[in-house]
C-alpha cells in the first residue's frame, strides 16, 4: 500500500512535486521526456524530516476484516519491510486504529518490531520516519486524551519519539467542539516532544486552511496532509 503525502510548509504548497527539468528530443514524434524532480533513492523535505518520495502504508497489518491478515504472515511482512528499507524507503504510515478485534493496534506493534529486528545498517534503522494517526474516537474529547493516545502509540511502537503525529479525520461536520480539542492535543504532543511534527489526514481544503492557521497561531507548523 503506497501512501500520498503533501508537505505543508505553506498550505497547498506542492512545488516539490513538480518536475524541475525537461529534456526534449529534437524532431521527435514523442512527447517531451520530463525528468523527475527527485530520484527514488533521494530524500525530500517534509517539515523537519527527510523522507523518501514514496511512503509505505500499513493499514493491512493486523486487519483481518478488510485485508485478511493472519499472524502467520508476520515473517513475510518482515521481509517486505526489510526490502523496502534496503531500497531507500524510510517513511512508514500507520495508525492507532489499524488492527481489528483483539489485534487492535497490531500495525504499530508490528512496525516497531520490524524496525528493531531489521538486519541492515543501524544508520538505515535510525533514519526511519513513522507517521502515525490518532483516531478521533467520540470518547477522545480533550487535548489530554489525545496526548494519552500518543503515549499509547509510543508504547506499542517502543520508540521514544514519533516522526509525524496526525489527526486521522476531521469531526468538524458532526462535533466541532471535539475538533478544536483535538487540535489542542496535536499542539500538546508537539510541545511535549512526543512527536517531531504534526499533520492531518482525510482533510478537505477548507478545514486544512483552518487548522493551518490555528497551528500557526500556536507556533506549531503543519507538516503534512495525507490524502
Amino acid at each position: 500500500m503506497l501512501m500520498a503525502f503533501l508537505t505543508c510548509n505553506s498550505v497547498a504548497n506542492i512545488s516539490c512535486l513538480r518536475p524541475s527539468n525537461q529534456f526534449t528530443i529534437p524532431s521527435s514524434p514523442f512527447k517531451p521526456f520530463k525528468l523527475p524532480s527527485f530520484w527514488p533513492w533521494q530524500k525530500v523535505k517534509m517539515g523537519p524530516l527527510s523522507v523518501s518520495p514514496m511512503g509505505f502504508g500499513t493499514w493491512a497489518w493486523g486487519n483481518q476484516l478488510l485485508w485478511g491478515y493472519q499472524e502467520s504472515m508476520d515473517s513475510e511482512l518482515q521481509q517486505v519491510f526489510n526490502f523496502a528499507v534496503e531500497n531507500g524507503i524510510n517513511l512508514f504510515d500507520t495508525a492507532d486504529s489499524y488492527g481489528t478485534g483483539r489485534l487492535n493496534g497490531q500495525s504499530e506493534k508490528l512496525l516497531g518490531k520490524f524496525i528493531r529486528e531489521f538486519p541492515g545498517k543501524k544508520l538505515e534503522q535510525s533514519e526511519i520516519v513513522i507517521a502515525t494517526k490518532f483516531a478521533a474516537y467520540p470518547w477522545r474529547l480533550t487535548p489530554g486524551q489525545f496526548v494519552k493516545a500518543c503515549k499509547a502509540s509510543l508504547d506499542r511502537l517502543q520508540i521514544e519519539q514519533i516522526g509525524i503525529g496526525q489527526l486521522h479525520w476531521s469531526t468538524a461536520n458532526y462535533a466541532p467542539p471535539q475538533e478544536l480539542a483535538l487540535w489542542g492535543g496535536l499542539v500538546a504532543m508537539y510541545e511535549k516532544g512526543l512527536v517531531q511534527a504534526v499533520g492531518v489526514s482525510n482533510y478537505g481544503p477548507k478545514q486544512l486552511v483552518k487548522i493551518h492557521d490555528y497551528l500557526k497561531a500556536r507556533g506549531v507548523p503543519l507538516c503534512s496532509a495525507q490524502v
Side-chain angles (χ1 to χ4, degrees):
M1 186 188 305
L2 307 180
M3 308 308 298
F5 286 83
L6 297 181
T7 60
C8 289
N9 295 321
S10 60
V11 170
N13 174 15
I14 56 173
S15 60
C16 66
L17 303 180
R18 300 190 190 113
S20 58
N21 302 303
Q22 180 170 300
F23 173 72
T24 305
I25 302 174
S27 304
S28 171
F30 302 104
K31 293 181 179 180
F33 172 70
K34 296 181 179 180
L35 293 174
S37 55
F38 45 73
W39 298 105
W41 56 85
Q42 292 180 319
K43 299 295 187 288
V44 295
K45 292 297 292 182
M46 183 182 288
L49 305 164
S50 295
V51 300
S52 50
M54 181 172 68
F56 191 114
T58 63
W59 183 13
W61 296 2
N63 193 307
Q64 295 176 315
L65 182 63
L66 294 177
W67 299 103
Y69 165 81
Q70 299 295 329
E71 291 175 88
S72 59
M73 299 174 176
D74 289 357
S75 60
E76 186 175 0
L77 292 177
Q78 173 83 66
Q79 294 176 40
V80 173
F81 172 86
N82 296 346
F83 181 82
V85 175
E86 288 164 358
N87 284 275
I89 291 183
N90 77 326
L91 175 61
F92 288 84
D93 175 83
T94 185
D96 65 357
S97 62
Y98 286 177
T100 51
R102 66 178 180 82
L103 296 174
N104 186 49
Q106 184 76 350
S107 176
E108 290 182 331
K109 292 177 183 176
L110 287 176
L111 185 52
K113 176 178 181 290
F114 295 162
I115 292 172
R116 292 191 302 276
E117 297 182 3
F118 176 66
K121 298 177 182 177
K122 290 296 181 182
L123 180 61
E124 292 173 321
Q125 187 183 51
S126 66
E127 290 180 345
I128 291 173
V129 175
I130 296 175
T132 196
K133 299 182 291 294
F134 308 108
Y137 291 135
W139 56 85
R140 289 178 175 169
L141 298 172
T142 67
Q145 287 171 317
F146 227 40
V147 169
K148 184 178 180 180
C150 182
K151 290 180 178 178
S153 288
L154 287 167
D155 287 342
R156 283 189 291 270
L157 290 160
Q158 294 189 34
I159 58 176
E160 294 182 358
Q161 189 180 46
I162 289 166
I164 310 173
Q166 302 172 109
L167 178 54
H168 204 151
W169 64 82
S170 170
T171 68
N173 290 334
Y174 61 91
Q178 181 187 18
E179 174 98 338
L180 192 59
L182 299 185
W183 290 1
L186 289 177
V187 171
M189 64 179 69
Y190 178 83
E191 291 180 340
K192 292 178 181 292
L194 302 177
V195 299
Q196 290 181 263
V198 299
V200 293
S201 177
N202 301 312
Y203 259 60
K206 292 181 180 179
Q207 284 303 109
L208 185 60
V209 170
K210 289 179 181 178
I211 190 171
H212 171 271
D213 292 345
Y214 171 89
L215 292 173
K216 184 178 180 180
R218 298 287 301 271
V220 179
L222 178 63
C223 173
S224 64
Q226 183 190 344
V227 296

